[in-house]
Amino acid sequence: MPNVCAKTFGTEKACAGRGRKGVSIREIARMTGLSITTVSHAINGTRPVSEKSRRLVEEAIRRTGYRPNLAARALKTQKSNIIALIIPSTEPGNSTNCFFFDVLGGVKDTLQRRGYDLIVSTYSERRSDIRLDSVSVLKKSWIDGLLLVPNSRHSRYDELLAGVDLPTVLLDRRLDGCDLPLVCCDNESAAEQAVGLLADSGRARIGYLGGALDLSTAYDRYAGYRRALEKRGLPLDPGLVRLGLDYSIEAGREAARELVGQGADAVFAANSVLTMGLVKYLGGAGIAIPGRVAVVGFDDYDWTEIANPPITAVRQSAFAMGAKGAEMLIELIEGREPPERTVLLPAGLTLRESHGPARP
Amino acid sequence: MPNVCAKTFGTEKACAGRGRKGVSIREIARMTGLSITTVSHAINGTRPVSEKSRRLVEEAIRRTGYRPNLAARALKTQKSNIIALIIPSTEPGNSTNCFFFDVLGGVKDTLQRRGYDLIVSTYSERRSDIRLDSVSVLKKSWIDGLLLVPNSRHSRYDELLAGVDLPTVLLDRRLDGCDLPLVCCDNESAAEQAVGLLADSGRARIGYLGGALDLSTAYDRYAGYRRALEKRGLPLDPGLVRLGLDYSIEAGREAARELVGQGADAVFAANSVLTMGLVKYLGGAGIAIPGRVAVVGFDDYDWTEIANPPITAVRQSAFAMGAKGAEMLIELIEGREPPERTVLLPAGLTLRESHGPARP
């Protein structure tokens, strides 16, 4: 069978090589005076050819606009060297998901070095009626592997990826009950540090602003908040907790107003746009930060520097997340089991001026 | 020749269909009791088959994990339905290029509706030694078309895309002396409006902060600044102009300090991160906005709402830019000439509190 295939592929190339301009490998051979076999070896790098032949072929390719057909190579190797990345899209006027552009940057950096291309699909988190399995890219049979940011930790893997049989690595968000390899930030520990910082400056009524617990990131950050309180013997007051918030300035602002109404003397906002809403409310109401209400945010974007005062925030590396996920995926595609199934990337705190002791 | 090809492609499919699990179209035929021809028609949709046959084939595909090889289809149609998008990447802690993630969202939205996939490559604007023609994706022969944000208006098209013969549409940035189709914002008119707003509130010493004139966006915004001054008979004071700035908070801050030192009573910052730097300097120095220095920024991101005061800014739609560019590219790929070669998207001003009359 291998011989038959090899023969077939030879023919394919001759046919398949017919580019947009109607030039075939046969014509390249005619133009250069070389055999089809030599031209094919020169183009596909399957056997060494003389420097002179290589130059002749390159020149003919340049002159004719012949496009060596990589589809033919994919047929031969059964490998496309293309991986798919599926991430949430941004929404107009909402920077939350810019995070995933940095993830994309890290993915692309690794893939480029390793000789892979990146196909990208995005989905809207506002339209819950769109199931991930409707994402057309998943149905492509020529993809070698998949990097996925799931839209919920409850998405059942078999439903989500129905009919898809690809090496897959999850990024940023966990899928419960699923043992797919995962690269994410240690959200629980990061949140615990953030809340600990507020508690250690003497705050006893620390509020929490966070998204839907359906997202593992929001779930883990809330767990970190509770753990920090528990370790310090602080009570968990449900009046100081707002969960399931929409990631928007308006939602953060309104929830911040409620927490301050409940006597919060500090707030941990577990998302960057919620942090913006919190800062906007406190600024507008003339409430001193950190004098009256101390603030720690999540995600260390450049805008935190220009807030008044600059905001102390949890810092994670989206680029590193993408780069590490791509490395793990390539290991899987190339038939090696990555050393760890779950990689928890460390997060840190960038200390600015929004935390600290209360001032009367 | 067509017949020979058709025959060859039949053989290819049989061979090429051998998926990851080693299942071939032949085995699907054996399992279902159908002929290879019928299975091939069912998979490729090349001729109608009975409902029963279709179901049998689908069931066998599900059971075996057979992956119909789209590479074989690309061979047949000479069309991959994949377009490439090449955009600048983000830099850590710098949100400027998040703009291009919104562009990507618009591109993807159009492509998904039209049945195309999106391959993405990004390049760093900090590393000028990387020439765009080294971007590997350009060398792929199976791409149907290209959407490109050039790194400079002086990049020579033939050098940039050497050996690449693809339908191409430029996004956001012009290439001088190149008649490729282009979709961008009307940067000159947008800047003219912004500076006009400042002038019309009585400001006579309006400063300008902008990037390298090598970028057509920066070039056009500076032209709009000059035009607004000229129309109002205001002199152009080189002491009030800072060009070629790095898009960073630090660069914006330092340049803003210089402009205020030169007696600027208003500043138009022609980039969002430069606007951040400007606001940071004015806030830190206790200079009232707009009482002493009025401010208009470029790009209406969510952070402008939480600055103190909220920043008046030029608003453009990155999503619309991507969507329109993708539509034009599909027209070209499908052999139709788009009605316009250059689409200038309108930009508007979002009025907040950082502009207005001076107050002593």
Side-chain angles (χ1 to χ4, degrees), chain B residues 174 185 187-189 191 215-225:
Chain B
R174 210 174 48 245
C185 156
N187 286 290
E188 185 170 341
S189 148
L215 295 176
S216 70
T217 43
Y219 184 89
D220 292 350
R221 291 170 198 174
Y222 182 51
Y225 166 77

Side-chain angles (χ1 to χ4, degrees), chain A residues 12 67-68 90 102 117 140-141, chain B residues 67-68 90 102 117 140-141:
Chain A
E12 273 165 33
R67 302 166 68 199
T90 46
D102 292 331
D117 283 305
K140 307 298 181 188
S141 58
Chain B
R67 302 166 70 199
T90 47
D102 292 331
D117 284 304
K140 307 299 182 188
S141 59

Side-chain angles (χ1 to χ4, degrees), chain A residues 219-283:
Chain A
Y219 184 88
D220 292 351
R221 291 170 198 176
Y222 182 52
Y225 166 77
R226 293 195 318 262
R227 198 164 67 184
L229 296 183
E230 202 182 314
K231 279 194 181 167
R232 284 156 184 85
L234 292 170
L236 176 72
D237 178 350
L240 293 178
V241 173
R242 290 295 177 282
L243 303 173
L245 298 173
D246 199 26
Y247 287 160
S248 71
I249 291 185
E250 218 21 65
R253 191 182 181 180
E254 180 55 26
R257 196 185 58 74
E258 292 168 12
L259 295 194
V260 171
Q262 296 282 326
D265 58 8
V267 181
F268 170 54
N271 163 274
S272 65
V273 175
L274 291 178
T275 313
M276 285 189 192
L278 168 63
V279 167
K280 189 176 167 89
Y281 169 70
L282 296 174

Side-chain angles (χ1 to χ4, degrees), chain A residues 62-119:
Chain A
R62 203 164 21 244
R63 286 215 327 265
T64 59
Y66 169 78
R67 302 166 68 199
N69 198 314
L70 290 195
R73 292 196 214 170
L75 282 173
K76 191 160 90 180
T77 60
Q78 288 291 340
K79 192 157 172 296
S80 64
N81 277 33
I82 299 177
I83 76 106
L85 171 69
I86 301 183
I87 48 182
S89 57
T90 46
E91 311 294 335
N94 186 320
S95 61
T96 288
N97 285 346
C98 275
F99 179 83
F100 297 110
F101 193 46
D102 292 331
V103 169
L104 185 156
V107 167
K108 187 262 166 189
D109 190 67
T110 295
L111 294 187
Q112 184 161 25
R113 276 186 292 102
R114 303 287 296 265
Y116 284 78
D117 283 305
L118 175 61
I119 199 154

